[in-house]
Amino acid sequence: MSLFKQLLRAPLSAKFGLAVIVLYVLVALFAPVLAPYGETQVVGEGFAPWGSEFLLGTDNLGRDMFSRLVYGARNTLGIAFLTTVLAFALGGFCGLVAAIKGGWVDQGLSRVVDILMAIPQLIFALLILSVVGTTATSLVLVIALLDATRVFRLSRAVAMTVVVQDFVEAARLRGEGLWWLVSREVLPNAAAPLIAEFGLRFCFVFLFISALSFLGLGIQPPTADWGSMVRDNAVLITFGDISPLLPALAVALITVSVNFVVDWVLHASSGLKEC
Amino acid sequence: MNSLYKLLVQRLALGLLSLFAVAVIIFLAVGMLPGDVAEAMLGQAATPETVAALRAQLGLDVPALTRFGQWAWHLLHGDLGVSLANQRPIAELIASRLANTFSLAALAALVSVPVALLLGILAALYRNSWFDRLLNTSALSAVSFPEFFVAYILILVFAVKLNWLPSISNLAPGASFGEVLERSLLPVLTLSLVVVAQMMRMTRAALINLLASPYIEMARLKGISPARIIFRHALPNALAPIINVVALNLAYLVVGVVVVEVVFVYPGLGQLLVDSVAKRDIPVVQACSLIFAATYILLNTTADVLSIASNPRLMHPKG
């Protein structure tokens, strides 16, 4: 069945999710074209109401809310995506190597991951950020490392079921090297669950970064970012104005959409009919 | 039976070991900086004198191993050190906040666990009905919402539009119990919404997994009512995964309070932690992290012990 046909038969929730993801990616790519004002440009009074000049009003410093929302898509999505890719490169590779090598390599890596996972993620991140300071680089590296532990667990577990198969044994007997075993034998057979995990992991990372930014410890001003936009303008909510909720809604919408798509991918690949 | 004890003791030992490892990591985190923490913390204000003073205050002038020994020794005696920001003993700063945070998490647990179990069982009972689909979709959405989004929506609805509840939960010392309850209602509700969704989904999944097994089919063929099948036949066997999920979510609650406390200006440990990270008040960050991590490990270990104790196959292993 072609990909297009599969898409047509997808449930409504998955179609909705895909549409939202495509929309977000387009907004992120074409942010400078779509935004009427600059990312950090002060264009008027603080907290101006919605209107024709400022579509969604202005924020606490008088910057255009709509423009910042658009740029926020680029910054927040970009950083979350980069972090997830790093986490996967590190955790996925180590997991596969641990499964293939076994023995003390596996033991060593697994125990390190056990210990790292014994600390709640948010607390660990706060601890490290308090020491190294909150810059975008340290943010990406710390979260990538913490999420790599979760990816490691999964990729190791999936790879374990693959490495015991005959074709891997055959490749080993042929004398193939580690890189060949990882990329040509194990990875193609472990791809489906890993792709689904990538979606879920992206959601976690995205929510995590937004939460940190909301706490004022994530992406630093004046960079437009959805988490800190909520924090900066939260005071408006007590006056019944919903504009500070828009960035939060943007975060919620993309995570729900990714979840819908992942749900559908998992369901379609498992071939389950009930439940 | 012997092997069960062995398993439990092993698990407890592992819990203690991870606690120790965590203490070491939290301690070492400070030494991770290339260069010197004292210089980094002072930033612009770093003159040779201030750096030396701060180094002495942090105890950086003695070897790391001695320092760890002293830190751990004081820790075991309940001495958490002194805050860099205001020179007050950390134990004093933390004491009242700790009680606030735990009571918030406990209230949320009290609300969310029964609701989640009930909804999960109902969803399993009426699986694939519109009720189940509705629950499932809303649970999936609730899991993917950031906590601050849920919190602000609740504020907007209940505090601003309806004006039923206060939007911030700044507890005055000596407030009456009713007042405390009223002020913590919105934070409790926020926390509950997030964990209920997760627990409900897992309860449903655990039950539905079991419903495919032959002994349930047998019960169904005997003509037992669906409710009785769930409560009498399926639930006891689903207990292990459910207990596990409940404990994991309680562990999550203790950490999840951080964001919620900040939104509602609730005077708890989470807010202290966030403030201290911003101020780079490292001794306070260390103390708070240790408390959070210890609670987390404790709950995770409890989850493992309980799920071992409630699993008949682990209690009576073959061979």
Side-chain angles (χ1 to χ4, degrees):
Chain A
M1 195 160 39
S2 75
L3 195 66
F4 184 70
K5 269 194 185 150
Q6 251 184 335
L7 266 181
L8 280 182
R9 289 180 43 171
L12 195 64
S13 58
K15 281 180 190 159
F16 169 78
L18 276 174
V20 171
I21 293 172
V22 170
L23 180 76
Y24 272 57
V25 171
L26 287 180
V27 169
L29 286 179
F30 298 107
V33 186
L34 291 169
Y37 301 98
E39 181 181 350
T40 55
Q41 186 187 357
V42 177
V43 291
E45 295 282 300
F47 294 139
W50 296 17
S52 54
E53 194 184 353
F54 308 117
L55 201 53
L56 299 175
T58 58
D59 70 357
N60 55 334
L61 298 179
R63 295 168 296 193
D64 183 45
M65 198 75 176
F66 178 70
S67 306
R68 281 182 71 77
L69 259 182
V70 169
Y71 277 104
R74 173 176 267 198
N75 300 332
T76 319
L77 281 180
I79 289 191
F81 187 74
L82 182 70
T83 311
T84 319
V85 169
L86 263 179
F88 258 78
L90 181 67
F93 181 73
C94 288
L96 296 183
V97 168
I100 292 172
K101 284 273 182 192
W104 65 266
V105 177
D106 184 22
Q107 280 296 323
L109 283 171
S110 295
R111 291 299 82 77
V112 169
V113 165
D114 280 349
I115 289 175
L116 284 179
M117 283 180 78
I119 310 180
Q121 217 177 353
L122 180 66
I123 305 302
F124 205 161
L126 288 181
L127 177 73
I128 299 192
L129 289 178
S130 77
V131 175
V132 300
T134 45
T135 62
T137 326
S138 59
L139 192 71
V140 169
L141 290 179
V142 167
I143 300 179
L145 177 71
L146 292 180
D147 272 277
T149 58
R150 275 78 179 165
V151 179
F152 172 85
R153 277 271 175 98
L154 181 82
S155 65
R156 179 178 169 276
V158 174
M160 278 297 196
T161 62
V162 180
V163 289
V164 291
Q165 311 247 351
D166 291 340
F167 62 85
V168 180
E169 191 63 38
R172 276 198 185 140
L173 291 177
R174 279 205 308 275
E176 304 288 3
L178 179 66
W179 180 248
W180 176 281
L181 286 177
V182 168
S183 62
R184 290 301 182 84
E185 306 291 341
V186 178
L187 196 56
N189 291 293
L194 285 180
I195 291 172
E197 172 72 7
F198 188 86
L200 289 179
R201 207 31 64 196
F202 175 77
C203 284
F204 276 116
V205 169
F206 194 71
L207 285 175
F208 196 52
I209 292 180
S210 301
L212 280 178
S213 297
F214 173 74
L215 295 175
L217 306 168
I219 303 169
Q220 295 296 311
T223 311
D225 153 76
W226 290 337
S228 44
M229 281 170 74
V230 178
R231 168 197 174 86
D232 290 342
N233 304 301
V235 61
L236 275 185
I237 293 175
T238 45
F239 299 108
D241 186 338
I242 60 155
S243 11
L245 285 179
L246 293 175
L249 185 68
V251 174
L253 197 60
I254 181 79
T255 41
V256 171
S257 301
V258 174
N259 263 321
F260 278 156
V261 175
V262 168
D263 231 31
W264 167 61
V265 169
L266 281 178
H267 195 81
S269 67
S270 72
L272 273 179
K273 289 286 165 264
E274 216 204 335
C275 79
Chain B
M1 212 50 204
N2 242 339
S3 61
L4 175 68
Y5 283 125
K6 209 172 130 197
L7 215 58
L8 291 181
V9 169
Q10 262 177 4
R11 196 60 199 79
L12 286 175
L14 201 63
L16 277 179
L17 192 69
S18 24
L19 196 59
F20 179 73
V22 167
V24 172
I25 289 180
I26 288 178
F27 175 78
L28 284 183
V30 182
M32 263 184 9
L33 257 192
D36 196 299
V37 197
E39 271 172 47
M41 281 169 60
L42 286 168
Q44 297 284 324
T47 62
E49 296 88 61
T50 52
V51 171
L54 189 60
R55 281 176 64 91
Q57 194 187 350
L58 286 174
L60 288 177
D61 41 5
V62 285
L65 204 60
T66 330
R67 208 151 27 102
F68 180 68
Q70 282 173 350
W71 185 67
W73 183 251
H74 287 149
L75 207 63
L76 289 174
H77 290 78
D79 179 9
L80 294 168
V82 179
S83 157
L84 290 180
N86 50 17
Q87 310 301 331
R88 284 172 56 194
I90 295 174
E92 196 181 287
L93 279 176
I94 284 179
S96 65
R97 286 171 174 268
L98 190 63
N100 284 343
T101 291
F102 279 133
S103 66
L104 185 63
L107 268 178
L110 221 56
V111 174
S112 56
V113 173
V115 172
L117 292 186
L118 189 69
L119 287 179
I121 291 172
L122 284 178
L125 198 54
Y126 301 107
R127 61 194 168 282
N128 298 329
S129 67
W130 63 268
F131 171 73
D132 178 36
R133 293 224 175 93
L134 181 74
L135 268 185
N136 239 335
T137 313
S138 25
L140 195 60
S141 316
V143 173
S144 7
F145 284 171
E147 285 123 343
F148 54 85
F149 183 55
V150 178
Y152 279 124
I153 286 191
L154 290 178
I155 288 186
L156 187 70
V157 174
F158 290 105
V160 179
K161 298 283 180 202
L162 295 173
N163 217 353
W164 287 352
L165 293 164
S167 66
I168 52 172
S169 324
N170 49 343
L171 302 176
S176 72
F177 182 69
E179 210 172 320
V180 173
L181 208 59
E182 191 197 358
R183 297 206 157 211
S184 23
L185 202 56
L186 277 185
V188 166
L189 211 57
T190 310
L191 280 172
S192 306
L193 270 179
V194 180
V195 284
V196 160
Q198 190 70 25
M199 286 195 280
M200 187 218 99
R201 270 166 70 94
M202 297 304 284
T203 308
R204 178 184 179 276
L207 280 174
I208 284 186
N209 255 340
L210 278 175
L211 291 182
S213 42
Y215 80 93
I216 297 286
E217 176 118 39
M218 184 66 212
R220 211 178 281 151
L221 289 175
K222 283 197 303 193
I224 297 175
S225 74
R228 196 175 152 78
I229 288 181
I230 296 257
F231 283 104
R232 190 83 187 82
H233 297 264
L235 203 53
N237 277 310
L239 226 47
I242 292 177
I243 290 177
N244 217 333
V245 156
V246 167
L248 285 181
N249 274 284
L250 294 187
Y252 166 79
L253 262 186
V254 174
V255 182
V257 291
V258 174
V259 173
V260 173
E261 278 179 8
V262 171
V263 174
F264 290 99
V265 206
Y266 186 90
L269 206 56
Q271 214 184 28
L272 180 68
L273 175 60
V274 171
D275 287 347
S276 308
V277 173
K279 281 188 278 189
R280 301 187 87 172
D281 190 345
I282 287 173
V284 180
V285 175
Q286 280 179 317
C288 292
S289 308
L290 196 65
I291 292 175
F292 275 120
T295 319
Y296 188 78
I297 291 172
L298 187 73
L299 284 168
N300 275 334
T301 309
T302 317
D304 279 0
V305 168
L306 282 179
S307 70
I308 290 170
S310 65
N311 186 338
R313 248 165 275 138
L314 288 176
M315 296 249 290
H316 311 282
K318 284 183 218 157

